[in-house]
């Protein structure tokens, strides 16, 4: 596993985990607005960004274990008086929650941006579908497998994304960051760093014992729900905020609202994490 970090400046440390199909640096426009206040650690999950795929997808829970190991490594370099915070989007938001459920004292506060928290009922259905081999046919997994993967160059890739699909509402600088950091140079031109099959693996899987870990979280955690997102997220969050560690707010935009308005997203993160 690889990633990126700022030089240590004795500022509060913020560990960030990206969504499925992305990488840490694809969120650069938002993260740049956080760099004045935080030292950043961006971890690319297996098969994403600059991290190796590791062969078969290791699962959500083991991803959380690996990320905790990474934080343990960096914690040896950071002054014990420096606070540590967590930030995660979508898939990365759930991995962050698993990390906090496994290690209640790792972070002082956290923000989860539209985390794909499956309800207990959804998880039972997914487990049954997985048992009989149907989960591989989940609609988003099938869509991911059919995703275009190569372009002649970055200009052609950028033009193919403008105004389409999830990119329709993204800011220009967010779309450029995706082209810069989610694509790799290849003999054929440029290719997605996260191969469609890995993205599909994640869409056709689920975290084990999710609600058990969610209930174990003691870290004060703000969940930011997108106004225009998957309905199951709002239903799950409504149930989750009955636990004392969690609070929630609704944010204008879609599932990738931080790509639509990076500066406003960064400001909300700062306001929550740095408040007394």
């Amino acid at each position: 596993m690889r990633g990126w970090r700022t030089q240590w400046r004795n500022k509060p440390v913020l560990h960030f985990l990206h969504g499925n199909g992305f990488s840490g640096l694809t969120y650069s426009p938002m993260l740049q607005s956080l760099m004045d206040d935080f030292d950043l650690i961006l971890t690319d999950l297996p098969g994403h960004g600059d991290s190796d795929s590791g062969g078969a997808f290791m699962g959500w829970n083991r991803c959380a274990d690996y990320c905790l190991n990474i934080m343990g490594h960096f914690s040896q370099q950071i002054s014990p008086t420096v606070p540590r915070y967590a930030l995660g989007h979508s898939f990365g938001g759930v991995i962050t929650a698993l990390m906090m459920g496994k290690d209640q004292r790792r972070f002082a506060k956290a923000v989860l941006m539209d985390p794909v928290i499956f309800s207990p009922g959804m998880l039972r259905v997914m487990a049954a579908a997985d048992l009989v081999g149907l989960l591989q046919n989940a609609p988003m997994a099938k869509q991911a497998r059919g995703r275009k993967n190569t372009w002649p160059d970055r200009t052609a890739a950028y033009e193919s994304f403008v105004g389409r699909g999830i990119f329709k509402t993204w800011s220009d600088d967010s779309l450029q960051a995706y082209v810069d950091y989610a694509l790799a140079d290849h003999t054929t031109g440029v290719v997605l760093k996260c191969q469609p099959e890995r993205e599909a693996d994640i869409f056709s899987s689920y975290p084990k014992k999710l609600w058990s870990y969610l209930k174990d979280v003691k870290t004060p955690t703000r969940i930011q729900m997108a106004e225009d997102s998957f309905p199951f997220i709002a239903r799950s969050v409504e149930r989750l905020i009955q636990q004392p560690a969690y609070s929630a707010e609704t944010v204008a935009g879609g599932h990738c609202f931080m790509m639509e308005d990076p500066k406003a997203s960064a400001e909300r993160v700062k306001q929550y994490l740095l408040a007394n």
Side-chain angles (χ1 to χ4, degrees):
M1 290 176 70
R2 300 182 178 87
W4 182 90
R5 70 170 177 87
T6 55
Q7 295 297 314
W8 305 130
R9 298 165 295 167
N10 213 40
K11 293 180 179 290
V13 171
L14 179 60
H15 179 257
F16 175 69
L17 284 177
H18 56 81
N20 187 13
F22 300 153
S23 69
L25 287 172
T26 58
Y27 297 77
S28 289
M30 176 186 71
L31 296 171
Q32 285 170 358
S33 295
L34 293 169
M35 285 178 59
D36 286 344
D37 297 279
F38 301 94
D39 286 338
L40 301 177
I41 301 173
L42 316 181
T43 299
D44 288 343
L45 292 162
H48 294 74
D50 294 329
S51 290
D52 296 337
S53 72
F57 177 52
M58 65 177 62
W60 302 54
N61 299 66
R62 286 193 65 200
C63 283
D65 292 337
Y66 273 78
C67 290
L68 283 172
N69 288 340
I70 289 169
M71 279 302 298
H73 166 75
F74 283 125
S75 291
Q76 299 174 33
Q77 306 173 20
I78 302 165
S79 167
T81 62
V82 171
R84 296 151 174 80
Y85 301 116
L87 176 64
H89 171 227
S90 189
F91 169 57
V94 176
I95 302 301
T96 300
L98 290 171
M99 292 171 69
M100 294 188 294
K102 291 167 179 280
D103 186 345
Q104 289 84 1
R105 294 187 290 183
R106 179 61 63 184
F107 301 110
K109 283 185 179 179
V111 174
L112 309 182
M113 307 175 99
D114 219 39
V116 284
I117 298 173
F118 306 114
S119 69
M122 289 179 68
L123 289 166
R124 287 192 292 271
V125 171
M126 295 169 83
D130 192 28
L131 194 63
V132 294
L134 294 178
L135 201 54
Q136 299 295 319
N137 296 322
M140 293 187 74
K142 292 171 70 174
Q143 182 182 8
R145 290 190 186 96
R147 198 177 310 288
K148 182 177 174 63
N149 190 37
T150 62
W151 295 266
D153 52 44
R154 293 178 192 272
T155 300
Y158 184 97
E159 291 173 352
S160 75
F161 298 143
V162 172
R164 300 188 62 185
I166 64 167
F167 306 110
K168 190 179 298 184
T169 56
W170 287 24
S171 67
D172 293 341
D173 53 351
S174 291
L175 185 55
Q176 187 61 57
Y178 181 82
V179 171
D180 290 342
Y181 299 114
L183 303 179
D185 294 324
H186 192 266
T187 54
T188 60
V190 293
V191 299
L192 289 172
K193 289 183 176 179
C194 178
Q195 292 296 297
E197 191 60 38
R198 173 48 52 88
E199 189 179 357
D201 286 343
I202 294 168
F203 282 134
S204 57
S205 63
Y206 57 94
K208 305 300 191 293
K209 299 181 179 179
L210 174 61
W211 282 84
S212 175
Y213 286 114
L214 291 175
K215 290 175 181 177
D216 283 342
V217 171
K218 302 296 186 290
T219 305
T221 300
R222 173 63 55 86
I223 301 176
Q224 297 177 343
M225 299 181 296
E227 241 175 25
D228 183 20
S229 186
F230 307 104
F232 74 85
I233 294 178
R235 292 194 295 269
S236 294
V237 171
E238 185 178 356
R239 176 178 180 140
L240 190 58
I241 58 174
Q242 296 174 24
Q243 302 292 323
Y246 301 96
S247 60
E249 63 180 321
T250 301
V251 176
H255 183 58
C256 295
F257 59 81
M258 71 298 302
M259 306 297 203
E260 299 172 14
D261 195 341
K263 289 184 178 179
S265 295
E267 190 58 35
R268 280 190 297 270
V269 170
K270 284 192 285 189
Q271 286 178 359
Y272 178 72
L273 294 182
L274 299 180
N276 293 328

